[in-house]
Every structure is written in C-alpha cells, then in structure tokens.
Amino acid sequence: GTAYGLALRQRPVYGAEAQILYGITQGASARADRELATQEVIMLGAANLQPVADEQGLSVSALQDAVTVEVIGDSDVLRLQVADPDPSAALRTAELIAEGYVGSVTASSSSELADARAVFENRIEQLSEQLAAVEGRLEELDAQRPADAGSAQTPEERRLDLQSRALQQRLGDLQDQLTSVELEQAKTADVRILAAPELLGEPLAPKPAQAAAAGALVGIAIATAMIVLLTRGRRPESAWDR
C-alpha cells in the first residue's frame, strides 16, 4: 500500500519514441552490427545533441540522461526514446534528435563522397590534358622525321614515349578509384525516419501497479524472515520445564 501510494504521488515522466532506419545496402558494410552500434554512439554524441540541448535549454549531459537509443532486435532500425515530465517537450525533443541525426548522417556521407569524386575527376582532367599534349608532340616529331631516318627514336621521342606510358598508367589508376567512389555513392546507407516520434501510451514512471507488486513481494519477504527468526529464537521445551 505504501509503495502504491508513493508511486501515485510521484510526478509522471512521459516517453516519446521514434524509429530510424539505417539500412545498409548489400556490400556497403561487412560489419553491420558494428556499424549500427556506431550509429547509436553518434546519435547520443554531443555533436548531434548540442543543437537540441541549446533549443531546449538543457546541458548535453542532462539531455543524454533523458535519451536512450537501441537497435531493435536483428533489424537495421534504431529505437530512440526520450523521457520528460512534459509530454510536449518529450515529443519535441525526439523530433529534433531524429531529424538532426538523419540530416547530419545523410549530408556527411554525401558530401564526403562528392568531394572525393570531384578530386578524382579534376585530376583525371589534368592528366588527360598532359597526355594529349605529349601525344600531340609525338605526332609532330613523327611527321617531321625524314623519310630516310629509319624507325629509331630520337632521345626526345623516347622521353615523350615513356612520359605517355606513365600518364596512361596513372589515368587508369585514377579511373579505377573514381569508379570505386561512384559505387560507394550508389551503396550509401538508406537513413531515414521510419516511424515519426509519438508519445507512448503510458508514462514511463511512476508505475503504481508495479510498485504495489514490488511492495507486496518485499512485505512477504520481510514476514517470512520474521517468522524464521522467531522460530529460531524459541527455545524447545525440555523435560525439566514440565
């Protein structure tokens, strides 16, 4: 009864929950479990929570205490839960965290791959121009070669020929790297809010029924202990007491 009464007098704490898909496409990651665990850390990290904490007038540590993130079973879905005495604040906080996380992860992944692709494309263009100039010069030298000069290359032609082969090799390597980046862009994880934040059906706390059940169990345990102690403390009647 006491536990039940105390539970009723406690200020309710409400929960808001959202589900976020971090879908790792085939081949994007050979360590899906580790990747999802990393995303839990990122969502709870200061970089993701600081803007939300600022808007809600909280410290990051206080917000972290009110937030839990976990992977749902064997799925690629992250469950975000926020606890707050104000149900509206719990819902708003869950919305801000989920939206901020999805936006940050998506932008970061896309930006890094786009930057890498731009670097490779720019370098390929530069080397292609150099190769065109080298091959153009080789054609000029070949056209200027006297008819009776034979097939032997001049020192300049040998130098340009070696330079041409080196440029072709470097261009091939860069093209392979560019292709890898393009494949990574196609395999980027599908990150999105799967279930929009909503309030849970019941407050996270207090739980009067659970408190009453726990109190009853404690009462039974205490009563049992008292009986055992009283039984042990009672001296058996001897023949001299009769």
Side-chain angles (χ1 to χ4, degrees), residues 135-217:
E135 292 183 340
R137 178 56 181 162
L138 281 171
E139 290 177 0
E140 290 178 2
L141 293 174
D142 185 63
Q144 296 171 3
R145 183 192 303 275
D148 58 350
S151 60
Q153 289 183 320
T154 65
E156 183 180 5
E157 287 175 324
R158 286 195 295 271
R159 177 180 61 79
L160 291 172
D161 186 58
L162 290 174
Q163 187 176 355
S164 174
R165 293 181 184 182
L167 286 170
Q168 290 178 34
Q169 179 63 48
R170 291 169 64 186
L171 279 169
D173 293 341
L174 285 172
Q175 189 60 57
D176 289 342
Q177 291 175 298
L178 176 59
T179 300
S180 297
V181 171
E182 291 172 340
L183 289 174
E184 285 300 317
Q185 283 185 308
K187 296 186 296 185
T188 300
D190 178 18
V191 184
R192 54 191 168 89
I193 297 176
L194 190 63
E198 60 180 13
L199 288 174
L200 299 178
E202 297 181 357
L204 297 175
K207 300 284 189 180
Q210 293 180 9
L217 290 175

Side-chain angles (χ1 to χ4, degrees), residues 5-53:
L6 289 173
L8 287 177
R9 287 195 292 270
Q10 290 179 6
R11 186 181 181 186
V13 176
Y14 299 92
E17 182 178 297
Q19 294 181 6
I20 300 167
L21 174 68
Y22 189 85
I24 303 172
T25 56
Q26 185 176 4
S29 175
R31 300 178 180 177
D33 292 342
R34 184 173 181 178
E35 182 73 13
L36 287 168
T38 299
Q39 297 311 308
E40 292 183 54
V41 175
I42 291 175
M43 197 182 303
L44 286 172
N48 188 54
L49 295 185
Q50 186 67 64
V52 182

